[in-house]
Amino acid sequence: MKLQKALLSLLAVCLLSITVTLLTQAYWQEQYYRFQSKCNSSDSSEHLVAREVESSQRKCKSPAAHTQSITLFVRVAATVPELRRRFYCVFLRLSVLFWPASLGKTVAVLDQENEEEHAFASTVLTHMRQHFPDRTFEVLYEPLPKDPTVLDFANPPRSPGYNRQLYSSFFIDLYTNDDIIAWMDADSGFASPVTNESIFNGTKVRVLGYDCTLTIGWVQAWARTTEKALGLPFLADFMTYFPVYIYRDTFTHCREHILRRFNTSNFEEAFKKFYRREFISPVSVVLSYAWYFERERYDWNLKLCTDLTEYNKRFPSEHIISPEHVVETLLIPQTAFHVQHAQGVRQFVSNSYCLSQEAAGNDAEKCSNRTASLITNFVLFNHDVQRLGHPAPPCPKNREQTCLQLLERNYNQIGLEIKQKTRKLDWKNVEIVEKLAKELKLQCDVLK
């Protein structure tokens, strides 16, 4: 009898163990397929993405992966000759010099319905494959909104084509599976090498913002439109520093917040409710959202011209800016500028290249007849509308030594990476793009 009870007990334990094992396996299998489904899905119900990819096959990252992947993103309107020129002469020419291929792929998004854009994309992909095989470059296409009045309406603040760029900005997360998006404006270009330190402070993504432009009419309009979109006050101007680094899912969450705010599942409908009469800055909308709902994910660096106590009066008490979020001088020199706002960007490109090569102990041919000085690159601590006089330069006499030390540390790190062969910095890449642009009858200005 005792033996029978013992056998029954043993059988019960075995059955329980098998049941637990099967349930555990089923649970993790379900999680795996959910994860795979999430990774493989890049379309939303109302914003389908057409893909033409010239790269290695995209792989979904393991949930346990600790490395944060980055996509360099640019939206291009290739039917406009000046924008084609900017793509080659500003974006591409400088990114192949200063954006390390090891940091992540580049994604360009074009208009889906236009054959001229497809032809341009084919040319770009061929050029990248032939001349820059170490770089992953992808072209994707965006369809028009279903409702034409999203872009074309009476008395718009911008043209339908420009409105399309603005609308598109809320869907950047659909064009990559990488963790972080390095968002470049179509008229911005690199002026200095991008480093890990320019992207991260520890494990957090750096955010650079600015309130000093709030005296400008269009920035005041951005503030009003941001509040319409979010139902919360505009935090700061985030259009003065590029690239802007934003977690991919922050775009998703911001879009979802806007949909909830306007009680709709259709973003076209929501967009029409907050963008009609006044200018908008999508990047300022997205990062203002991040301040209110994802603040701890980011490292905030805000340059304020307004007294902090006074500035905080506009925010709910739980969302005021702390002194730790305010900076007098950037701790890392910025790496890109809006081209039309930056004074002498061409000069600073060459200076940055030569300072980097000098720090690596290299006698670069490009630098043989020039003397590069750290002081000449103080401009990298400016915001890119410095020429408008907002505010005084960040490296006055009493801060010159700080700026010099920060620049020296920056270029020494870049030089070390060149010496260790973890970074390539080759002026021939610039010359290749200039030659390709010339073949396309696109005239690049001379980088002195």
Side-chain angles (χ1 to χ4, degrees), residues 159-180:
S159 68
Y162 198 101
N163 290 341
R164 185 173 188 177
Q165 306 282 314
L166 298 172
Y167 177 76
S168 172
S169 299
F170 290 95
F171 293 93
I172 293 177
D173 56 312
L174 300 185
Y175 301 105
T176 180
N177 283 336
D178 286 336
D179 304 306
I180 297 166

Side-chain angles (χ1 to χ4, degrees), residues 24-35:
T24 302
Q25 183 179 13
Y27 171 81
W28 285 113
Q29 189 173 42
E30 180 183 3
Q31 299 308 306
Y32 172 80
Y33 284 119
R34 282 183 180 177
F35 177 74

Side-chain angles (χ1 to χ4, degrees), residues 182-409:
W183 183 358
M184 285 288 277
D185 225 3
D187 59 349
S188 58
F190 289 105
S192 186
V194 178
T195 64
N196 282 323
E197 290 73 20
S198 67
I199 304 171
F200 300 102
N201 182 10
T203 59
K204 293 186 177 183
V205 171
R206 292 186 188 273
V207 173
L208 308 178
Y210 197 68
D211 93 309
C212 307
T213 50
L214 274 169
T215 57
I216 301 173
W218 71 74
V219 181
Q220 294 170 4
W222 292 349
R224 290 188 292 269
T225 310
T226 296
E227 189 156 357
K228 285 181 185 176
L230 299 178
L232 291 161
F234 174 89
L235 178 63
D237 177 1
F238 294 103
M239 281 285 286
T240 60
Y241 302 107
F242 280 88
V244 181
Y245 298 97
I246 303 177
Y247 281 106
R248 175 174 52 85
D249 60 4
T250 297
F251 287 92
T252 313
H253 300 154
C254 179
R255 197 167 60 244
E256 290 169 349
H257 171 82
I258 292 171
L259 290 172
R260 287 193 298 271
R261 168 165 164 72
F262 292 102
N263 193 28
T264 179
S265 60
N266 186 326
F267 195 80
E268 294 182 12
E269 180 182 322
F271 188 75
K272 289 166 64 175
K273 290 182 178 178
F274 64 83
Y275 176 65
R276 267 307 178 255
R277 300 300 179 196
E278 294 195 289
F279 297 129
I280 187 173
S281 166
V283 65
S284 296
V285 174
V286 175
L287 282 175
S288 291
Y289 167 85
W291 172 260
Y292 292 110
F293 298 101
E294 301 182 2
R295 189 178 314 163
E296 295 308 312
R297 302 181 74 186
Y298 293 90
D299 175 60
W300 299 89
N301 300 265
L302 305 175
K303 168 67 178 175
L304 301 182
C305 289
T306 310
D307 173 74
L308 180 58
T309 302
E310 185 65 27
Y311 197 67
N312 271 330
K313 289 179 180 178
R314 69 188 66 198
F315 303 114
S317 59
E318 65 272 25
H319 296 298
I320 61 173
I321 299 169
S322 300
E324 68 191 72
H325 301 131
V326 179
V327 296
E328 283 297 318
T329 301
L330 297 180
L331 296 179
I332 297 291
Q334 67 164 319
T335 57
F337 285 88
H338 274 102
V339 173
Q340 76 271 32
H341 289 159
Q343 293 179 322
V345 165
R346 292 182 294 277
Q347 173 188 347
F348 303 120
V349 168
S350 300
N351 283 349
S352 291
Y353 172 79
C354 292
L355 287 167
S356 300
Q357 294 292 1
E358 182 181 306
N362 296 334
D363 294 323
E365 182 181 349
K366 173 70 179 175
C367 308
S368 59
N369 295 322
R370 66 183 302 126
T371 301
S373 166
L374 290 173
I375 291 177
T376 61
N377 272 28
F378 277 1
V379 71
L380 298 181
F381 293 105
N382 292 352
H383 64 92
D384 73 1
V385 289
Q386 197 77 44
R387 68 183 181 87
L388 300 179
H390 299 274
C395 293
K397 287 292 183 183
N398 64 335
R399 297 192 65 82
E400 274 191 6
Q401 197 59 37
T402 299
C403 291
L404 284 171
Q405 290 171 353
L406 291 171
L407 282 171
E408 184 175 22
R409 185 179 69 187

Side-chain angles (χ1 to χ4, degrees), residues 18-272:
I18 291 169
T19 301
V20 170
T21 300
L22 290 173
L23 287 172
T24 302
Q25 183 179 13
Y27 171 81
W28 285 113
Q29 189 173 42
E30 180 183 3
Q31 299 308 306
Y32 172 80
Y33 284 119
R34 282 183 180 177
F35 177 74
Q36 289 297 318
S37 175
K38 183 178 179 181
C39 286
N40 292 331
S41 174
S42 56
D43 297 342
S44 76
S45 60
E46 58 178 282
H47 193 95
L48 301 178
V49 178
R51 298 175 177 272
E52 179 176 330
V53 179
E54 178 67 34
S55 69
S56 56
Q57 186 176 2
R58 182 181 293 125
K59 294 182 179 179
C60 192
K61 293 183 61 191
S62 162
H66 295 293
T67 303
Q68 299 188 89
S69 54
I70 305 174
T71 289
L72 178 62
F73 175 90
V74 65
R75 183 65 168 84
V76 184
T79 54
V80 181
E82 172 58 18
L83 296 184
R84 289 199 299 271
R85 190 196 71 80
R86 283 183 188 173
F87 176 81
Y88 269 89
C89 299
V90 179
F91 175 78
L92 190 59
R93 176 169 60 160
L94 298 176
S95 64
V96 296
L97 180 64
F98 287 144
W99 176 266
S102 59
L103 271 182
K105 66 173 177 279
T106 300
V107 170
V109 173
L110 286 77
D111 297 344
Q112 182 185 37
E113 74 284 356
N114 194 298
E115 288 304 317
E116 188 177 348
E117 303 244 337
H118 286 259
F120 179 78
S122 179
T123 299
V124 173
L125 291 170
T126 299
H127 286 164
M128 295 303 296
R129 183 175 60 250
Q130 291 178 349
H131 299 283
F132 303 101
D134 61 323
R135 292 179 178 269
T136 302
F137 193 98
E138 299 179 4
V139 172
L140 297 96
Y141 296 96
E142 180 191 59
L144 283 163
K146 294 176 183 177
D147 180 355
T149 65
V150 170
L151 309 179
D152 194 359
F153 48 91
N155 303 314
R158 295 288 193 176
S159 68
Y162 198 101
N163 290 341
R164 185 173 188 177
Q165 306 282 314
L166 298 172
Y167 177 76
S168 172
S169 299
F170 290 95
F171 293 93
I172 293 177
D173 56 312
L174 300 185
Y175 301 105
T176 180
N177 283 336
D178 286 336
D179 304 306
I180 297 166
I181 292 164
W183 183 358
M184 285 288 277
D185 225 3
D187 59 349
S188 58
F190 289 105
S192 186
V194 178
T195 64
N196 282 323
E197 290 73 20
S198 67
I199 304 171
F200 300 102
N201 182 10
T203 59
K204 293 186 177 183
V205 171
R206 292 186 188 273
V207 173
L208 308 178
Y210 197 68
D211 93 309
C212 307
T213 50
L214 274 169
T215 57
I216 301 173
W218 71 74
V219 181
Q220 294 170 4
W222 292 349
R224 290 188 292 269
T225 310
T226 296
E227 189 156 357
K228 285 181 185 176
L230 299 178
L232 291 161
F234 174 89
L235 178 63
D237 177 1
F238 294 103
M239 281 285 286
T240 60
Y241 302 107
F242 280 88
V244 181
Y245 298 97
I246 303 177
Y247 281 106
R248 175 174 52 85
D249 60 4
T250 297
F251 287 92
T252 313
H253 300 154
C254 179
R255 197 167 60 244
E256 290 169 349
H257 171 82
I258 292 171
L259 290 172
R260 287 193 298 271
R261 168 165 164 72
F262 292 102
N263 193 28
T264 179
S265 60
N266 186 326
F267 195 80
E268 294 182 12
E269 180 182 322
F271 188 75
K272 289 166 64 175

